Each structure stands twice: as structure tokens, then as C-alpha cells.
């Protein structure tokens, strides 16, 4: 986890009004933090060739592409900028318009009303020579990158059509490898869920601590809590037959047994991790047959209530109540 403050980049916004943003050195912009990420992760994890840095449109930065290759790692980014390509007389979009569809990929999508629908994505892919911004062509070389476009066929009802434009330095040799990269990028959404728990569950932004050091310590604890909630939510879906002791202590399991009955509820199978449904029910989850798997909110509420109840049980067992 890295802490930073916008004060370090004070005046950058005014500078961008006078100078083309692409000509402002990245060291003077807040986006330099995107370059710190691969350096820090590789330093901690080692084996840069096994690291694939996945980012949304905010991380569509040419310097990031060059640095990642310089470090010996890889990247997969959702493109935001229609960059110059080939000989410089056209852009990536022009080349992709002339590229034929390599196949169709069908996915399940939940609309704004929570209903599941099928979406057909037309997949295009091409290896393209991508050029740096004009103002930085004296510092950076052109890169051979793979561009993947996944566009939804037809206009869906109740939501915007899916359109992902991904760019990567990894080789993509066909439809199956393109779908693999699309699935990798889809996993990035878990980062958004982590921050939702951090902000809405832990209410990190409401902290009133006076010093940066105290705030950093609090954020460190909140990050562990947020990770656990997200982990419990996903584990309940991916490994429901595992032992509940993988995620809960003996005390937590005993309390849940006492508080939530599993009679007549198929979702709460004793001796399995589907037992986490009891935790979600403590947080307000109804566990009806047609309900989707419990999400982060009910897991958060359940864990918060269980923690309070466990503390009360410990105090009561110690015989200190009323003394």
C-alpha cells in the first residue's frame, strides 16, 4: 500500500491549461504513481516475468508501457487514448475498423434491475505498431502491442452496450487467448469492490484522526478488514465444499450455530464453507432459493455483528459483567 498526497503536484492543473498534457513530463503529474506500482510490486514479489499489471483507462499511459517492458514484466490495460499507429498517418481505431471479427464470446450480464441476460461480444484482435505521443517521440520508441476489441452485438435494453478496448504486450494468437485476456481484465473489478468495502463498510473517509501517521495505521487495519470481507464473499462462491475452519474460528462457528438455525436451509450445509451463509444471514441476507449468493454488504454486516457478539460472549464468560 502506498500513501501519497496531491500537494506534491500542486500547480499541475494550471500547467496543463498552458501546455499540451502529453508534453508535460510524467514526473510532474499525479499519474507518476502508476509507474511506482510495477516497481514496488516487482520489488516485493520478484520474478517480474510472472507479473502482469492490469489497469483501467486511467492507467493508459505510454510511459507505463515502456517501463513495464524495461522491468521485464507485462501489462494489460483498458485503452482510453486512440494512439497513433503504423507509419503515424492513422490511429489504432482506423486499423481495428478494418480488422475482421475473429469470433463471438457469450457472457452473462446483470442489468440495472438485477436480472441476468446473455450478451454476445464480437472479438477483434491485431498486433499493431503503436507510436508514442508526438511530444514524447524523442524519448520513447514505438512498441509492437496487441489490441483486443470486445464489442457487444446489438443494443441491449436497460443498460449501455459493453465495449472494451484492451491493449497488452502479451501475444494473443486467437479467439481463445483473447477471451483469456478479457477474463483477466474482468477480474480487475474485485479491486473496485475492495475499495467499496473500504469506503462504505469501514467508512475510511470519515476518519477524523489528526496526524498522517495515525491515519496510515488506521488504513492498514481497514485494508486487512476489507480484504477479509472480500475474501469471505468470494470464497463462499468458489469453494463452498471446503471446511468452515478455513475462514472462521471455532468460537465464531459455535456462535453462528447458536444464533442461526440451519434447519430447512440448503445453503447452510454443516461442515462446509457454505456455512458462511449463516454469517450473511446475521447481516440481513434472506437466503431464499432464488436469491443470488450473498454479497459484500451482508457479509460485512454479519461480520461486524458477529465481532460484537463474540466480544460480549468473552466478557460474559469472564464473569466481569456488572462489576
Amino acid at each position: 500500500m502506498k500513501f501519497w498526497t496531491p500537494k506534491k503536484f500542486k500547480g499541475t492543473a494550471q500547467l496543463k491549461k498552458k501546455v499540451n498534457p502529453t508534453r508535460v513530463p510524467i514526473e510532474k503529474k499525479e499519474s507518476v504513481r502508476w509507474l511506482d506500482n510495477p516497481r514496488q510490486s516487482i520489488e516485493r514479489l520478484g520474478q517480474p516475468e510472472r507479473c502482469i499489471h492490469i489497469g483501467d483507462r486511467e492507467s493508459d499511459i505510454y510511459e507505463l508501457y515502456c517501463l513495464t517492458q524495461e522491468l521485464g514484466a507485462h501489462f494489460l490495460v483498458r485503452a482510453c487514448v486512440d494512439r497513433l499507429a503504423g507509419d503515424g498517418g492513422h490511429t489504432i481505431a482506423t486499423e481495428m475498423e478494418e480488422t475482421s471479427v475473429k469470433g463471438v464470446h457469450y457472457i452473462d450480464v446483470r442489468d440495472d434491475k438485477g436480472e441476468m441476460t446473455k450478451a454476445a461480444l464480437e472479438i477483434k484482435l491485431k498486433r499493431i505498431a503503436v507510436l508514442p505521443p508526438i511530444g514524447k517521440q524523442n524519448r520513447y520508441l514505438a512498441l509492437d502491442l496487441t489490441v483486443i476489441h470486445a464489442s457487444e452485438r446489438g443494443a441491449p435494453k436497460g443498460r449501455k452496450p459493453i465495449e472494451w478496448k484492451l491493449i497488452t504486450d502479451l501475444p494473443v494468437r486467437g479467439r481463445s487467448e483473447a477471451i483469456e485476456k478479457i477474463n483477466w481484465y474482468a477480474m480487475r473489478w474485485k479491486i473496485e469492490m475492495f475499495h467499496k468495502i473500504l469506503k462504505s463498510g469501514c467508512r475510511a473517509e470519515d476518519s477524523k484522526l489528526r496526524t498522517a501517521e495515525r491515519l496510515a495505521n488506521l488504513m492498514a487495519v481497514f485494508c486487512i478488514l476489507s480484504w477479509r470481507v472480500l475474501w469471505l464473499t468470494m470464497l463462499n462462491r468458489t469453494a463452498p465444499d471446503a471446511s468452515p475452519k478455513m475462514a472462521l474460528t471455532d468460537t465464531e462457528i459455535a456462535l453462528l450455530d447458536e444464533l442461526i438455525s440451519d434447519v430447512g436451509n440448503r445453503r447452510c450445509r454443516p461442515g462446509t464453507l457454505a456455512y458462511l451463509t449463516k454469517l450473511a444471514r446475521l447481516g440481513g441476507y434472506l437466503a431464499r432459493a432464488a436469491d443470488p449468493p450473498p454479497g459484500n454488504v451482508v457479509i460485512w454486516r454479519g461480520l461486524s455483528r458477529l465481532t460484537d457478539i463474540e466480544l460480549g460472549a468473552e466478557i460474559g464468560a469472564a464473569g466481569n459483567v456488572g462489576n
Side-chain angles (χ1 to χ4, degrees):
M1 184 168 58
K2 179 179 175 63
F3 291 95
W4 62 280
T5 171
K7 290 182 179 179
K8 180 180 178 181
F9 304 98
K10 189 176 182 180
T12 303
Q14 288 75 13
L15 180 62
K16 289 180 181 179
K17 294 179 181 179
K18 301 178 181 178
V19 182
N20 187 322
T22 61
R23 298 180 183 272
V24 178
I26 194 168
E27 293 79 12
K28 295 184 179 181
K29 297 190 288 187
E30 291 185 32
S31 51
V32 71
R33 67 185 188 276
W34 286 100
L35 305 189
D36 294 333
N37 292 341
R39 292 191 184 103
Q40 282 190 315
S41 56
I42 289 173
E43 180 183 349
R44 290 186 174 275
L45 298 173
Q47 297 179 294
E49 69 281 357
R50 299 189 62 215
C51 293
I52 302 173
H53 301 276
I54 299 178
D56 60 7
R57 284 174 286 193
E58 189 181 353
S59 64
D60 182 11
I61 303 169
Y62 200 85
E63 289 89 343
L64 175 66
Y65 302 164
C66 296
L67 175 66
T68 306
Q69 293 200 335
E70 179 185 326
L71 295 173
H74 304 283
F75 65 85
L76 174 63
V77 168
R78 187 175 179 185
C80 174
V81 181
D82 186 17
R83 301 187 181 279
L84 294 173
D87 59 2
H90 61 279
T91 64
I92 293 175
T94 304
E95 285 208 33
M96 295 306 292
E97 285 176 2
E98 300 171 354
T99 302
S100 60
V101 176
K102 300 299 182 183
V104 179
H105 178 45
Y106 294 91
I107 61 172
D108 293 322
V109 181
R110 195 179 300 277
D111 62 19
D112 294 339
K113 297 180 180 179
E115 299 177 356
M116 295 297 294
T117 59
K118 285 284 186 181
L121 303 182
E122 295 183 341
I123 298 175
K124 293 183 177 182
L125 61 101
K126 188 174 183 181
R127 195 75 174 178
I128 296 176
V130 179
L131 305 181
I134 294 177
K136 298 179 180 179
Q137 290 184 355
N138 59 338
R139 292 184 61 186
Y140 303 102
L141 299 175
L143 299 174
D144 284 330
L145 304 175
T146 302
V147 178
I148 304 170
H149 281 190
S151 304
E152 186 171 2
R153 178 190 291 173
K157 295 181 180 180
R159 61 174 175 79
K160 295 181 179 179
I162 298 170
E163 186 176 19
W164 283 2
K165 298 178 180 179
L166 307 180
I167 188 166
T168 179
D169 65 326
L170 294 164
V172 182
R173 290 174 284 268
R175 173 182 173 276
S176 61
E177 292 189 3
I179 292 173
E180 177 187 52
K181 305 306 181 290
I182 291 170
N183 290 336
W184 287 357
Y185 181 76
M187 294 179 69
R188 195 204 67 83
W189 184 248
K190 292 182 177 63
I191 300 172
E192 303 291 347
M193 297 309 299
F194 170 83
H195 283 95
K196 179 181 178 180
I197 299 166
L198 189 65
K199 294 179 180 180
S200 301
C202 298
R203 303 181 68 181
E205 293 175 316
D206 294 340
S207 304
K208 302 296 183 182
L209 301 181
R210 295 184 179 181
T211 67
E213 182 181 3
R214 293 174 183 175
L215 187 60
N217 290 337
L218 181 64
M219 291 302 110
V221 174
F222 280 171
C223 281
I224 295 171
L225 288 172
S226 301
W227 167 82
R228 190 187 183 200
V229 172
L230 179 61
W231 180 68
L232 289 173
T233 304
M234 301 313 299
L235 201 61
N236 185 38
R237 302 178 186 183
T238 58
D241 294 325
S243 168
K245 292 186 178 182
M246 177 185 289
L248 300 169
T249 66
D250 290 337
T251 302
E252 289 172 333
I253 292 172
L255 286 172
L256 287 171
D257 282 336
E258 185 71 23
L259 294 165
I260 305 293
S261 171
D262 55 7
V263 176
N265 196 310
R266 297 178 181 178
R267 292 176 179 265
C268 301
R269 300 195 307 275
T272 71
L273 200 56
Y275 197 96
L276 285 173
T277 302
K278 286 192 174 186
L279 181 66
R281 289 177 64 189
L282 194 62
Y285 180 63
L286 298 179
R288 296 169 298 193
D291 287 342
N296 296 298
V297 174
V298 289
I299 292 289
W300 163 263
R301 290 174 184 163
L303 189 62
S304 179
R305 285 198 64 197
L306 183 61
T307 301
D308 290 340
I309 293 169
E310 184 176 5
L311 180 60
E314 291 176 355
I315 294 173
N320 294 325
V321 179
N323 294 336

